[in-house]
Amino acid sequence: MATLKIEKWERWFLYASVVVLVGFLVAILASIGEAGIHLPTDEGSLDPNTVAETPPFDNPGLRQTGDGTYEAVMVARTWQFTTGETDADGIPTITVPAGSTVTFIVTSGDVIHGLYIPRTDVNAMIIPGRVTKISQRFDEPGEYTFLCHEFCGLANEQIGHHSMYGKVVVQP
Amino acid sequence: MTTTARPPADLGTAEIAQKKWAKWQLYLGFVGFFLGLLMGLLQALDRMGFYLYKEAQLSSYYQGLTLHGVSMVFILTFAFGNAFLTLGVMRSLERPMASTMLVAASFWSAAIGVALAAWAILANQATVLYTMYSPLRPHVAFYVGAVLLVVSTWIVLLNQLLTLRAWRKDHPGEPIPLLAFVSVITYIMWFIASLGVAIEVLVFLIPWSLGLVENTDPLLNRTLFWFTGHPIVYFWLLPAYVSWYITVPKMVGGRLYSDGVVKGVFILFLLFSTPVGLHHQFTDPGVEEGLKLLHMLFTFAVFFPSLVTAFTLMAALEDGAKRNGGRGLVAWIKQLPWGNPSVVAQLFAMLGFVLGGVSGLINASATVNLVVHNTSFIPGHFHLTVGTAVALTIMGASYWLVPYLTGKKLCCRRLAVAQSWLWFGGVMLFSRGLMAAGIEGQPRRVPVGLMAYAEESWKLWDIVTGIGGTLMVTSGTIFFIVILGTLLRKKGSAGAVEFPIADTVYGPEQSPAILDRIGLWTAVSVVLILIAYVPVFISHAYNFTSPGFVRW
Ligand code: HEM
Ligand SMILES: [Cu+2]
Ligand SMILES: [Cu+2]
């Protein structure tokens, strides 16, 4: 029977390829197992048409759950987030002291949205009928924009997917 | 491009008719490319601060972006694959396809699909982007158009299999010629992969968009979409690989080392392209983290055949250059035929793919994905892969395919060579800008000119993106000038153009016979898909509660 013809250098290249890929794989698994960076997972389902009556989403807002830990319950709808709090310009906000860990608990009342805070690990989809849960620690005081990063339609040039955002205000 | 082929007079009527339909299929792809380029220009201008959608009679940026995505990655790529890998099977098995009617049917299915989808998008009835995430609900014509495009590819596969069967009957015990083998494997891989989106659209979305059922399950639809959505990138890419493996070595005067290794590479793509879809859903709620990591494992497996490809192709190029007098560790590169537009385009396509592949590894790394998911890093990545590796290969291949199919000599060769340089230079700026802005946090799928939260650090990169994109559009326009110039030439001016096929150092006779067991490999691929997806569909909490929304 014929055997596969592999050139000598190619063979070494293939070994190296396997080593590199396995190395990456181990590094990623370590970032999950050791550094504790987690992906969103299954948190149950609900009826998106009755979000306004379904706890905890019937009462969006920030709740302290422990020493320096908070839950931010939010609802995403075209084209705004409801966080239970807004600033003077009507932009939804979440205000916490520096050093807090915030667990965002979010669902959608209509179409798919996203929740993304640049330069953090908060990057998740918000899918109608599902609950997105994701935690982040905020050490540096300042304003962090959170925004919808999945296309969700538009009303006009001012209002739409491109205007759907809010702010996490981290106080010193 | 050798000119020693059989004169056209020798072609049977079936072959002549089939080549005609393949030619129209290719032109259909060009229509998609043209629409995509127009929208690309508007997107590039938006990055530079000119939001010109009203002026272009479009209702929104998103309408244009839907047209851009659909045109580029459903129309251009599908039509090219259909044409190229039908012709490839004919050339490789040295016989016409089993059915001329099926070649024509594939064209018509694609053409009607394009017409329906284009109508829905242009009438502003389907601003849902090419991912068509429910519960955004487009006009049913959009879904039907998408289905017909997919059906056109199934027809191609059917015809390929019938042709292969007839060939095997005439050549019992012979190994399958390489070009036919890789063409068929590509389409089998895609057929299995396409079942996800076929079920999504036919079973769930079409009845829902017609109002026959009221509610749908958006997460289920997403999972079905991405069942197809990763392997679809290989359906875009593999015709380019076929071109690189089979035609480019011939055009540079080199040889492929081993028939068996190439067959093995395509088998690995058949096995590992599909059981990886959750890597597009790393950030989805409702899907268990463990399953996402299983799919990541398979994703890393599918990088392997691309690494083999990198080596094998480089070796074939070096072989060609050295046989033409090149020497040295890298100096041989100068000896490649840099005056041949077909070759130059594909060399740049390969180079783009190296960068695209590396950025793909970043995306696939589950936790690193959190940094880049849905940022403009992602379009930065895939304009290197599908937007350059594939698109530039399609352009390069067209530089011999159009003469091959029309008998007209390629016009303006130097312009055609310049076109590739321009595209590559353009995409280097374009993707650099998108990637840098993405790492700084700029989301994708947002018009820069309208976004309410623009950051200072994105602005410079958006301009770089806009300039690079404009150069790419200019290059694409030059491509059309060259093709039109060619079509205006006299018939027969090209002489007889041959479909280039590389020789192998170790031919099919030396490959293990098990490689040719297409049925076996298909079965293994199904098993791997079951391992990857049965747990996903069992653990899925079925939740049909979403009515449709028209929000554009
Ligand atoms: C010719 C020059 C091109 C330009 C200037 C261009 C420009 C762009 C830009 C700026 C985006 C990002 C839009 C956003 O996220 O908001 C985009 C998206 C995209 N482009 Fe291109 N592009 C070009 C060519 C191509 C080619 C050749 C392909 C594929 C063959 C392609 C496929 C896509 C796809 C699939 C998307 C994603 C659409 C979506 O997010 O729904 N583009 N393009
Ligand atoms: Cu949104
Ligand atoms: Cu993928």
Side-chain angles (χ1 to χ4, degrees), chain A residues 50-63 71-75 77 82-85 105 107:
Chain A
T50 57
V51 162
E53 294 98 62
T54 310
F57 302 106
D58 54 344
N59 185 19
L62 188 72
R63 281 180 271 284
E71 269 179 12
V73 174
M74 309 174 23
V75 177
R77 283 204 175 80
T82 307
T83 60
E85 184 193 321
I105 301 176
T107 195

PDB file of all heavy atoms in Angstrom, chain A residues 50-63 71-75 77 82-85 105 107:
ATOM      1  N   THR A  50     -43.055  39.459  28.334  1.00  0.00           N
ATOM      2  CA  THR A  50     -43.525  39.831  29.673  1.00  0.00           C
ATOM      3  C   THR A  50     -42.356  40.202  30.576  1.00  0.00           C
ATOM      4  O   THR A  50     -42.429  40.040  31.794  1.00  0.00           O
ATOM      5  CB  THR A  50     -44.309  38.664  30.309  1.00  0.00           C
ATOM      6  OG1 THR A  50     -43.450  37.518  30.341  1.00  0.00           O
ATOM      7  CG2 THR A  50     -45.553  38.327  29.520  1.00  0.00           C
ATOM      8  N   VAL A  51     -41.290  40.715  29.953  1.00  0.00           N
ATOM      9  CA  VAL A  51     -40.111  41.086  30.719  1.00  0.00           C
ATOM     10  C   VAL A  51     -40.467  42.069  31.833  1.00  0.00           C
ATOM     11  O   VAL A  51     -39.977  41.964  32.962  1.00  0.00           O
ATOM     12  CB  VAL A  51     -39.048  41.695  29.772  1.00  0.00           C
ATOM     13  CG1 VAL A  51     -38.013  42.478  30.540  1.00  0.00           C
ATOM     14  CG2 VAL A  51     -38.388  40.595  28.970  1.00  0.00           C
ATOM     15  N   ALA A  52     -41.375  43.013  31.531  1.00  0.00           N
ATOM     16  CA  ALA A  52     -41.699  44.061  32.498  1.00  0.00           C
ATOM     17  C   ALA A  52     -42.360  43.501  33.762  1.00  0.00           C
ATOM     18  O   ALA A  52     -42.397  44.163  34.786  1.00  0.00           O
ATOM     19  CB  ALA A  52     -42.606  45.107  31.856  1.00  0.00           C
ATOM     20  N   GLU A  53     -42.887  42.289  33.692  1.00  0.00           N
ATOM     21  CA  GLU A  53     -43.527  41.699  34.890  1.00  0.00           C
ATOM     22  C   GLU A  53     -42.679  40.586  35.500  1.00  0.00           C
ATOM     23  O   GLU A  53     -43.074  39.966  36.478  1.00  0.00           O
ATOM     24  CB  GLU A  53     -44.902  41.103  34.539  1.00  0.00           C
ATOM     25  CG  GLU A  53     -45.952  42.118  34.107  1.00  0.00           C
ATOM     26  CD  GLU A  53     -46.076  42.195  32.601  1.00  0.00           C
ATOM     27  OE1 GLU A  53     -46.433  41.172  31.983  1.00  0.00           O
ATOM     28  OE2 GLU A  53     -45.787  43.275  32.031  1.00  0.00           O
ATOM     29  N   THR A  54     -41.531  40.262  34.859  1.00  0.00           N
ATOM     30  CA  THR A  54     -40.748  39.110  35.309  1.00  0.00           C
ATOM     31  C   THR A  54     -39.599  39.559  36.202  1.00  0.00           C
ATOM     32  O   THR A  54     -38.737  40.314  35.760  1.00  0.00           O
ATOM     33  CB  THR A  54     -40.181  38.352  34.091  1.00  0.00           C
ATOM     34  OG1 THR A  54     -41.250  38.104  33.176  1.00  0.00           O
ATOM     35  CG2 THR A  54     -39.549  37.037  34.507  1.00  0.00           C
ATOM     36  N   PRO A  55     -39.571  39.112  37.454  1.00  0.00           N
ATOM     37  CA  PRO A  55     -38.426  39.459  38.302  1.00  0.00           C
ATOM     38  C   PRO A  55     -37.165  38.816  37.758  1.00  0.00           C
ATOM     39  O   PRO A  55     -37.258  37.713  37.210  1.00  0.00           O
ATOM     40  CB  PRO A  55     -38.766  38.864  39.673  1.00  0.00           C
ATOM     41  CG  PRO A  55     -40.160  38.344  39.575  1.00  0.00           C
ATOM     42  CD  PRO A  55     -40.553  38.279  38.145  1.00  0.00           C
ATOM     43  N   PRO A  56     -36.005  39.440  37.903  1.00  0.00           N
ATOM     44  CA  PRO A  56     -35.788  40.751  38.524  1.00  0.00           C
ATOM     45  C   PRO A  56     -36.023  41.910  37.563  1.00  0.00           C
ATOM     46  O   PRO A  56     -35.854  43.057  37.950  1.00  0.00           O
ATOM     47  CB  PRO A  56     -34.308  40.675  38.904  1.00  0.00           C
ATOM     48  CG  PRO A  56     -33.702  39.844  37.810  1.00  0.00           C
ATOM     49  CD  PRO A  56     -34.747  38.828  37.434  1.00  0.00           C
ATOM     50  N   PHE A  57     -36.404  41.606  36.297  1.00  0.00           N
ATOM     51  CA  PHE A  57     -36.419  42.671  35.283  1.00  0.00           C
ATOM     52  C   PHE A  57     -37.607  43.611  35.433  1.00  0.00           C
ATOM     53  O   PHE A  57     -37.686  44.633  34.774  1.00  0.00           O
ATOM     54  CB  PHE A  57     -36.377  42.055  33.882  1.00  0.00           C
ATOM     55  CG  PHE A  57     -35.168  41.190  33.697  1.00  0.00           C
ATOM     56  CD1 PHE A  57     -35.260  39.806  33.682  1.00  0.00           C
ATOM     57  CD2 PHE A  57     -33.914  41.762  33.578  1.00  0.00           C
ATOM     58  CE1 PHE A  57     -34.136  39.007  33.552  1.00  0.00           C
ATOM     59  CE2 PHE A  57     -32.779  40.980  33.440  1.00  0.00           C
ATOM     60  CZ  PHE A  57     -32.900  39.592  33.435  1.00  0.00           C
ATOM     61  N   ASP A  58     -38.578  43.250  36.301  1.00  0.00           N
ATOM     62  CA  ASP A  58     -39.679  44.174  36.574  1.00  0.00           C
ATOM     63  C   ASP A  58     -39.175  45.396  37.320  1.00  0.00           C
ATOM     64  O   ASP A  58     -39.854  46.414  37.392  1.00  0.00           O
ATOM     65  CB  ASP A  58     -40.781  43.464  37.368  1.00  0.00           C
ATOM     66  CG  ASP A  58     -40.245  42.815  38.642  1.00  0.00           C
ATOM     67  OD1 ASP A  58     -39.006  42.660  38.757  1.00  0.00           O
ATOM     68  OD2 ASP A  58     -41.055  42.472  39.508  1.00  0.00           O
ATOM     69  N   ASN A  59     -37.974  45.298  37.869  1.00  0.00           N
ATOM     70  CA  ASN A  59     -37.451  46.403  38.673  1.00  0.00           C
ATOM     71  C   ASN A  59     -35.966  46.606  38.397  1.00  0.00           C
ATOM     72  O   ASN A  59     -35.120  46.279  39.222  1.00  0.00           O
ATOM     73  CB  ASN A  59     -37.698  46.087  40.162  1.00  0.00           C
ATOM     74  CG  ASN A  59     -37.299  47.235  41.046  1.00  0.00           C
ATOM     75  OD1 ASN A  59     -37.167  48.364  40.577  1.00  0.00           O
ATOM     76  ND2 ASN A  59     -37.078  46.950  42.316  1.00  0.00           N
ATOM     77  N   PRO A  60     -35.645  47.154  37.203  1.00  0.00           N
ATOM     78  CA  PRO A  60     -34.233  47.310  36.854  1.00  0.00           C
ATOM     79  C   PRO A  60     -33.536  48.281  37.805  1.00  0.00           C
ATOM     80  O   PRO A  60     -34.171  49.200  38.308  1.00  0.00           O
ATOM     81  CB  PRO A  60     -34.265  47.896  35.438  1.00  0.00           C
ATOM     82  CG  PRO A  60     -35.663  47.727  34.958  1.00  0.00           C
ATOM     83  CD  PRO A  60     -36.535  47.678  36.167  1.00  0.00           C
ATOM     84  N   GLY A  61     -32.269  48.061  38.035  1.00  0.00           N
ATOM     85  CA  GLY A  61     -31.526  48.980  38.893  1.00  0.00           C
ATOM     86  C   GLY A  61     -30.349  48.283  39.541  1.00  0.00           C
ATOM     87  O   GLY A  61     -30.104  47.099  39.321  1.00  0.00           O
ATOM     88  N   LEU A  62     -29.634  49.047  40.332  1.00  0.00           N
ATOM     89  CA  LEU A  62     -28.418  48.559  40.978  1.00  0.00           C
ATOM     90  C   LEU A  62     -28.742  48.104  42.399  1.00  0.00           C
ATOM     91  O   LEU A  62     -29.463  48.787  43.118  1.00  0.00           O
ATOM     92  CB  LEU A  62     -27.396  49.696  41.008  1.00  0.00           C
ATOM     93  CG  LEU A  62     -25.989  49.336  41.464  1.00  0.00           C
ATOM     94  CD1 LEU A  62     -25.276  48.525  40.394  1.00  0.00           C
ATOM     95  CD2 LEU A  62     -25.200  50.599  41.783  1.00  0.00           C
ATOM     96  N   ARG A  63     -28.247  46.941  42.765  1.00  0.00           N
ATOM     97  CA  ARG A  63     -28.447  46.452  44.142  1.00  0.00           C
ATOM     98  C   ARG A  63     -27.113  46.004  44.694  1.00  0.00           C
ATOM     99  O   ARG A  63     -26.356  45.326  44.007  1.00  0.00           O
ATOM    100  CB  ARG A  63     -29.402  45.260  44.136  1.00  0.00           C
ATOM    101  CG  ARG A  63     -30.850  45.644  44.027  1.00  0.00           C
ATOM    102  CD  ARG A  63     -31.741  44.418  44.029  1.00  0.00           C
ATOM    103  NE  ARG A  63     -31.975  43.865  42.701  1.00  0.00           N
ATOM    104  CZ  ARG A  63     -32.818  44.418  41.808  1.00  0.00           C
ATOM    105  NH1 ARG A  63     -33.461  45.527  42.094  1.00  0.00           N
ATOM    106  NH2 ARG A  63     -32.986  43.863  40.633  1.00  0.00           N
ATOM    107  N   GLU A  71     -25.175  44.024  41.897  1.00  0.00           N
ATOM    108  CA  GLU A  71     -25.872  43.487  40.734  1.00  0.00           C
ATOM    109  C   GLU A  71     -26.522  44.638  40.007  1.00  0.00           C
ATOM    110  O   GLU A  71     -27.225  45.443  40.630  1.00  0.00           O
ATOM    111  CB  GLU A  71     -26.982  42.519  41.166  1.00  0.00           C
ATOM    112  CG  GLU A  71     -26.538  41.085  41.268  1.00  0.00           C
ATOM    113  CD  GLU A  71     -27.679  40.178  41.717  1.00  0.00           C
ATOM    114  OE1 GLU A  71     -28.854  40.626  41.738  1.00  0.00           O
ATOM    115  OE2 GLU A  71     -27.381  39.036  42.055  1.00  0.00           O
ATOM    116  N   ALA A  72     -26.292  44.712  38.686  1.00  0.00           N
ATOM    117  CA  ALA A  72     -26.963  45.740  37.890  1.00  0.00           C
ATOM    118  C   ALA A  72     -27.963  45.036  36.988  1.00  0.00           C
ATOM    119  O   ALA A  72     -27.589  44.373  36.030  1.00  0.00           O
ATOM    120  CB  ALA A  72     -25.957  46.528  37.073  1.00  0.00           C
ATOM    121  N   VAL A  73     -29.247  45.154  37.297  1.00  0.00           N
ATOM    122  CA  VAL A  73     -30.282  44.527  36.484  1.00  0.00           C
ATOM    123  C   VAL A  73     -30.694  45.514  35.399  1.00  0.00           C
ATOM    124  O   VAL A  73     -31.038  46.662  35.696  1.00  0.00           O
ATOM    125  CB  VAL A  73     -31.487  44.116  37.350  1.00  0.00           C
ATOM    126  CG1 VAL A  73     -32.616  43.597  36.471  1.00  0.00           C
ATOM    127  CG2 VAL A  73     -31.067  43.070  38.374  1.00  0.00           C
ATOM    128  N   MET A  74     -30.623  45.085  34.142  1.00  0.00           N
ATOM    129  CA  MET A  74     -30.906  45.994  33.027  1.00  0.00           C
ATOM    130  C   MET A  74     -31.797  45.315  32.000  1.00  0.00           C
ATOM    131  O   MET A  74     -31.753  44.105  31.836  1.00  0.00           O
ATOM    132  CB  MET A  74     -29.596  46.402  32.310  1.00  0.00           C
ATOM    133  CG  MET A  74     -28.556  46.896  33.252  1.00  0.00           C
ATOM    134  SD  MET A  74     -26.919  47.242  32.590  1.00  0.00           S
ATOM    135  CE  MET A  74     -27.054  47.532  30.909  1.00  0.00           C
ATOM    136  N   VAL A  75     -32.563  46.147  31.294  1.00  0.00           N
ATOM    137  CA  VAL A  75     -33.339  45.645  30.170  1.00  0.00           C
ATOM    138  C   VAL A  75     -32.918  46.418  28.931  1.00  0.00           C
ATOM    139  O   VAL A  75     -32.801  47.651  28.965  1.00  0.00           O
ATOM    140  CB  VAL A  75     -34.854  45.806  30.413  1.00  0.00           C
ATOM    141  CG1 VAL A  75     -35.645  45.336  29.195  1.00  0.00           C
ATOM    142  CG2 VAL A  75     -35.289  45.030  31.650  1.00  0.00           C
ATOM    143  N   ARG A  77     -33.899  47.489  25.135  1.00  0.00           N
ATOM    144  CA  ARG A  77     -34.983  47.585  24.153  1.00  0.00           C
ATOM    145  C   ARG A  77     -34.529  48.562  23.082  1.00  0.00           C
ATOM    146  O   ARG A  77     -33.691  49.413  23.331  1.00  0.00           O
ATOM    147  CB  ARG A  77     -36.249  48.139  24.810  1.00  0.00           C
ATOM    148  CG  ARG A  77     -36.999  47.146  25.656  1.00  0.00           C
ATOM    149  CD  ARG A  77     -38.476  47.550  25.775  1.00  0.00           C
ATOM    150  NE  ARG A  77     -39.218  46.523  26.486  1.00  0.00           N
ATOM    151  CZ  ARG A  77     -39.234  46.394  27.807  1.00  0.00           C
ATOM    152  NH1 ARG A  77     -38.572  47.248  28.556  1.00  0.00           N
ATOM    153  NH2 ARG A  77     -39.921  45.425  28.367  1.00  0.00           N
ATOM    154  N   THR A  82     -32.401  50.196  29.960  1.00  0.00           N
ATOM    155  CA  THR A  82     -33.016  50.705  31.184  1.00  0.00           C
ATOM    156  C   THR A  82     -32.200  50.188  32.355  1.00  0.00           C
ATOM    157  O   THR A  82     -32.067  48.971  32.535  1.00  0.00           O
ATOM    158  CB  THR A  82     -34.465  50.199  31.311  1.00  0.00           C
ATOM    159  OG1 THR A  82     -35.147  50.521  30.101  1.00  0.00           O
ATOM    160  CG2 THR A  82     -35.162  50.857  32.476  1.00  0.00           C
ATOM    161  N   THR A  83     -31.632  51.152  33.111  1.00  0.00           N
ATOM    162  CA  THR A  83     -30.782  50.764  34.243  1.00  0.00           C
ATOM    163  C   THR A  83     -31.388  51.235  35.559  1.00  0.00           C
ATOM    164  O   THR A  83     -30.810  50.991  36.612  1.00  0.00           O
ATOM    165  CB  THR A  83     -29.393  51.413  34.122  1.00  0.00           C
ATOM    166  OG1 THR A  83     -29.566  52.837  34.110  1.00  0.00           O
ATOM    167  CG2 THR A  83     -28.678  50.979  32.869  1.00  0.00           C
ATOM    168  N   GLY A  84     -32.500  51.928  35.483  1.00  0.00           N
ATOM    169  CA  GLY A  84     -33.124  52.450  36.688  1.00  0.00           C
ATOM    170  C   GLY A  84     -32.582  53.808  37.108  1.00  0.00           C
ATOM    171  O   GLY A  84     -32.999  54.367  38.117  1.00  0.00           O
ATOM    172  N   GLU A  85     -31.667  54.359  36.311  1.00  0.00           N
ATOM    173  CA  GLU A  85     -30.975  55.587  36.718  1.00  0.00           C
ATOM    174  C   GLU A  85     -30.537  56.316  35.444  1.00  0.00           C
ATOM    175  O   GLU A  85     -30.088  55.650  34.508  1.00  0.00           O
ATOM    176  CB  GLU A  85     -29.746  55.144  37.530  1.00  0.00           C
ATOM    177  CG  GLU A  85     -28.891  56.182  38.160  1.00  0.00           C
ATOM    178  CD  GLU A  85     -27.559  55.561  38.649  1.00  0.00           C
ATOM    179  OE1 GLU A  85     -27.556  54.418  39.171  1.00  0.00           O
ATOM    180  OE2 GLU A  85     -26.528  56.217  38.483  1.00  0.00           O
ATOM    181  N   ILE A 105     -26.884  41.854  34.885  1.00  0.00           N
ATOM    182  CA  ILE A 105     -27.896  40.835  34.587  1.00  0.00           C
ATOM    183  C   ILE A 105     -28.865  41.483  33.608  1.00  0.00           C
ATOM    184  O   ILE A 105     -29.551  42.439  33.940  1.00  0.00           O
ATOM    185  CB  ILE A 105     -28.613  40.387  35.872  1.00  0.00           C
ATOM    186  CG1 ILE A 105     -27.580  39.825  36.855  1.00  0.00           C
ATOM    187  CG2 ILE A 105     -29.685  39.354  35.561  1.00  0.00           C
ATOM    188  CD1 ILE A 105     -28.154  39.435  38.195  1.00  0.00           C
ATOM    189  N   THR A 107     -31.489  41.331  29.978  1.00  0.00           N
ATOM    190  CA  THR A 107     -32.247  40.618  28.956  1.00  0.00           C
ATOM    191  C   THR A 107     -32.797  41.624  27.960  1.00  0.00           C
ATOM    192  O   THR A 107     -32.635  42.826  28.131  1.00  0.00           O
ATOM    193  CB  THR A 107     -33.371  39.763  29.572  1.00  0.00           C
ATOM    194  OG1 THR A 107     -33.838  38.842  28.572  1.00  0.00           O
ATOM    195  CG2 THR A 107     -34.536  40.627  30.024  1.00  0.00           C
TER     196      THR A 107
END
